[in-house]
């Protein structure tokens, strides 16, 4: 995982998370920083603009629970 992640920001000041790789990397970064799973999810829900695909695949289907801080990346290109 890169040491520094950069995300686009919406006009409202939210992080744009429109693909699963961005979601996974941000979620993993939050876990590394000491967030619990529910805290990381709440942070993302409050501070990010999510695509419908990311919301369904990662949040609704609870795939975020399989993300580990130790993993390098989830199917990253």
């Amino acid at each position: 995982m890169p040491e520094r992640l950069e995300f686009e920001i919406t006009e409202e000041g939210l992080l744009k998370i429109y693909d699963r790789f961005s979601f996974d990397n941000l979620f993993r970064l939050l876990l590394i920083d000491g967030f619990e799973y529910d805290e990381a999810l709440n942070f993302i829900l409050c501070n990010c603009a999510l695509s419908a695909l990311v919301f369904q695949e990662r949040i609704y289907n609870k795939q975020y629970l399989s993300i580990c801080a130790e993993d390098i990346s989830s199917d990253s290109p």
Side-chain angles (χ1 to χ4, degrees):
M1 181 169 73
E3 290 182 23
R4 181 177 163 186
L5 299 175
E6 293 187 20
F7 299 98
E8 289 185 53
I9 307 289
T10 66
E11 291 179 9
E12 295 82 19
L14 301 173
L15 299 174
K16 286 185 182 180
I17 306 294
Y18 291 169
D19 63 76
R20 58 190 170 118
F21 307 114
S22 297
F23 178 90
D24 292 356
N25 287 332
L26 178 58
F27 198 88
R28 191 173 294 107
L29 184 63
L30 293 171
L31 294 177
I32 290 169
D33 283 346
F35 284 67
E36 297 293 328
Y37 281 83
D38 59 335
E39 294 171 329
L41 178 61
N42 287 336
F43 178 89
I44 289 173
L45 289 173
C46 293
N47 297 291
C48 298
L50 303 171
S51 69
L53 182 64
V54 168
F55 191 86
Q56 180 179 5
E57 282 188 3
R58 294 300 191 248
I59 297 172
Y60 182 77
N61 292 336
K62 299 187 183 199
Q63 289 297 313
Y64 69 92
L65 294 172
S66 64
I67 298 173
C68 296
E70 295 80 27
D71 291 344
I72 294 174
S73 171
S74 299
D75 303 327
S76 64

